Amino acid sequence: MNCRALMATAAIAALAPSAVAEITVTIENTNPEGGFFLTPVWIGIHDGTFDTNDAGVPAAMFPGLTEIAEGGDTAPLSGALCSAGAGGSALQSTVIAPLGAGGAPVLDPGESTSFTIDEGDPTINRYFSFASMVIPSNDLFVANGDPMGHMLFDESGVFTGPIVIEIVGAAVNDNGTEVNDADGGAAFSANGGMGVGESGVIRAFFTDPNDGPYLDSFIGSMTANGLTITTPFTAGDVIARIMIEQVDPTPVRVRIENTASKGGFFLTPFWVGLHNAGFDSYDGGAMAAMFPGLTEIAEGGDTGPLSGSFCASDAGFQAGLQRTLVAVTGSGDAPVLNPGESTTVLLDSGDPALNRYFSYASMVIPSNDLFVANADPMAHAIFDANGLFNGTTTIEVLGGAVNDNGTEVNDAFGGAAFSANGGVDADESLPIRGFFTEEGDAEYLESFVGTQTVTGFTLTTPFDGDDLVARITVSDPVACPDDADGNHNVGVGDLIAVIVAFGQTGPSAADLNLDGVVDVMDLLSVIENWGPCV
């Protein structure tokens, strides 16, 4: 998850600045069988100013720390990074174990899990932080106290690894907020009891003579999912290992076209995501309220809430990647896709064996609550189970695939978004349904004919169920590397794309040789490879 909203902003749509690479983080619980567990591990890549904890200081000074130390909840710490100065460009995620003990997403003794993340701008996001609760316990955690303790990139953005972080028992911390008592409400323990708060300070574990006996007191007790603790760790034991490696990304080129004819309907900025099939944007026949973020797109084209829903879903936790694609020219100053307009972006896939599936969503405007999206999260498999590209995927969205969100009455003069007609919208509470399934749907679209959008365009051509309203093409940028605009032909559009983006750094559709910068080499590449893609 990135703290910022990442917006792709052109037909050549530059993403957030970064080197064209990713890092893979592998986290291993090195405790033996019968040992202690680790809760899902929060990781952050930032500018070196985000401090998770300091010994000798009350935990309350570090927002989000106590929630991890007492219950393994990473969300407050994630929010703290986004609110901090480091959060402007920082990247972060929560790494869970896909197996886990008894279905819990914790790292069992001996288990490991990996996560691939876009490194962002490595000249800014140079430092790595982590945090996890040691369980069962009352408030023991591991985290790096020095925000600059693990430097991933030098000042020029060059990776300094591979990096291995070995966490020994002596690096475990006591949060100082709950009395250490194996029978006093310890998290992940079946012993039960009530936790007793204390007002201490953060301290290194094993600095109190009662610390070793506290761990020993868990021997023979069961975890919340029925496993028995037999082997506590000591100060010298390696209890966890984190390995950080740089890998080449596997980007895909996403091209979105509004295929409506002149005078037709517009499309709001598209939300797109690559994921593990764990994110369902909607289901026909269900109420829109069951899908957080959907109504905000369907009634106003706002992708932010859907993006947040994606981050909070299983797909987001499992390293799913997403973007919002806007159009630079747009209608007036609005970043919407005009009839006949297209926009293209390079989208990193992270781990393509995991992020195999593609989803999208956009509002059809002007309307009250019409949208396009794929209901089946597994409908568009971009990669196979081994992470190999399946070949170019073309998604043709017909008028019959447009949906009515069921949350606002269809009335061209009743507050329809992007319409200059005005009026006050009227809410309704109906299930999501396919448009053109009710009498009056076609007449609703025709009622916009002759009316103007808020940017002064006149609607003259409504679509019907058989009309193509949008085309989405997901292709391999390596297969035709000089096709910046994704139209399977190297030509004037690609030359313009490179000129407009000239000098940009980071993953851009106009960076044709994928060297991290749009420059004269990309211009020459277009000229040398002019013509249709083979």
Side-chain angles (χ1 to χ4, degrees), residues 72 90 109 135 140 153 157 217 228 272 298 345 381 399 421 436 438 441 495 509 520:
I135 50 176
L140 302 187
F153 305 97
S217 68
T228 302
V272 298
V345 68
N421 293 346
F436 293 115
E438 287 190 3
D441 285 347
L495 193 63
V520 67

Side-chain angles (χ1 to χ4, degrees), residues 407-486:
T407 52
E408 191 171 305
V409 174
N410 290 334
D411 181 355
F413 296 88
F418 206 63
S419 172
N421 293 346
V424 178
D425 59 89
D427 292 337
E428 62 181 358
S429 184
L430 297 173
I432 301 166
R433 67 175 178 87
F435 198 61
F436 293 115
T437 58
E438 287 190 3
E439 187 176 349
D441 285 347
E443 289 78 4
Y444 168 58
L445 295 185
E446 290 170 1
S447 67
F448 285 101
V449 172
T451 66
Q452 288 199 329
T453 67
V454 292
T455 50
F457 287 78
T458 300
L459 272 294
T460 61
T461 313
F463 58 90
D464 62 30
D466 295 325
D467 287 336
L468 186 64
V469 299
R471 181 183 293 111
I472 303 170
T473 306
V474 184
S475 59
D476 179 3
V478 177
C480 189
D482 304 298
D483 180 20
D485 60 10

Side-chain angles (χ1 to χ4, degrees), residues 333-345:
D333 293 326
V336 299
L337 276 170
N338 297 352
E341 188 176 16
S342 66
T343 186
T344 305
V345 68

Side-chain angles (χ1 to χ4, degrees), residues 135-225:
I135 50 176
S137 77
N138 294 85
D139 63 348
L140 302 187
F141 71 93
V142 290
N144 53 306
D146 180 359
M148 301 177 73
H150 304 295
M151 185 175 70
L152 301 183
F153 305 97
D154 65 18
E155 292 181 354
S156 300
V158 177
F159 186 60
T160 61
I163 295 168
V164 178
I165 304 169
E166 292 203 330
I167 304 168
V168 296
V172 172
N173 297 286
D174 187 310
N175 200 53
T177 52
E178 189 171 309
V179 173
N180 290 335
D181 181 356
D183 298 304
F188 206 63
S189 172
N191 292 352
M194 295 290 292
V196 177
E198 64 178 352
S199 298
V201 296
I202 301 166
R203 66 174 179 86
F205 198 62
F206 291 114
T207 57
D208 185 296
N210 294 315
D211 289 345
Y214 168 58
L215 296 185
D216 291 340
S217 68
F218 284 101
I219 294 176
S221 67
M222 296 185 70
T223 64
N225 54 358

Side-chain angles (χ1 to χ4, degrees), residues 271 273-280 310 313 315-316 318-321 349 351-352 354-360 374 376-378 380:
W271 173 87
L274 286 170
H275 55 83
N276 64 353
F279 184 68
D280 192 4
F310 182 82
S313 71
Q318 288 290 328
L321 293 157
S349 62
D351 181 351
L354 183 64
N355 295 325
R356 297 175 54 196
Y357 301 98
F358 177 82
S359 291
Y360 64 90
N374 53 305
D376 180 0
M378 299 178 70
H380 308 298

Side-chain angles (χ1 to χ4, degrees), residues 24-30 38 41-43 95 107 113 128-132 142-144 150 152 162-167 238-245:
T24 294
V25 180
T26 301
I27 300 173
E28 179 184 5
N29 181 342
T30 53
L38 295 171
V41 182
W42 171 86
I43 62 171
V95 186
L107 274 170
T113 187
F128 177 83
S129 290
F130 64 90
S132 173
V142 290
N144 53 306
H150 304 295
L152 301 183
I163 295 168
V164 178
I165 304 169
E166 292 203 330
I167 304 168
V238 176
I239 65 168
R241 182 178 295 112
I242 301 174
M243 175 173 285
I244 306 167
E245 302 170 284

Side-chain angles (χ1 to χ4, degrees), residues 24-170:
T24 294
V25 180
T26 301
I27 300 173
E28 179 184 5
N29 181 342
T30 53
N31 282 298
E33 184 177 357
F36 282 61
F37 298 74
L38 295 171
T39 62
V41 182
W42 171 86
I43 62 171
I45 305 172
H46 54 84
D47 64 3
T49 63
F50 184 67
D51 195 3
T52 59
N53 75 97
D54 286 317
V57 178
M61 297 294 292
F62 302 94
L65 177 61
T66 295
E67 288 85 351
I68 280 189
E70 291 189 1
D73 181 5
T74 63
L77 187 64
S78 175
L81 175 60
C82 286
S83 300
S89 62
L91 296 127
Q92 59 176 316
S93 189
T94 295
V95 186
I96 65 175
L99 299 179
V106 298
L107 274 170
D108 297 7
E111 188 177 17
S112 66
T113 187
S114 295
F115 176 89
T116 301
I117 187 171
D118 182 350
E119 65 196 24
D121 184 345
T123 64
I124 298 176
N125 296 328
R126 298 176 55 200
Y127 300 95
F128 177 83
S129 290
F130 64 90
S132 173
M133 183 182 185
V134 179
I135 50 176
S137 77
N138 294 85
D139 63 348
L140 302 187
F141 71 93
V142 290
N144 53 306
D146 180 359
M148 301 177 73
H150 304 295
M151 185 175 70
L152 301 183
F153 305 97
D154 65 18
E155 292 181 354
S156 300
V158 177
F159 186 60
T160 61
I163 295 168
V164 178
I165 304 169
E166 292 203 330
I167 304 168
V168 296

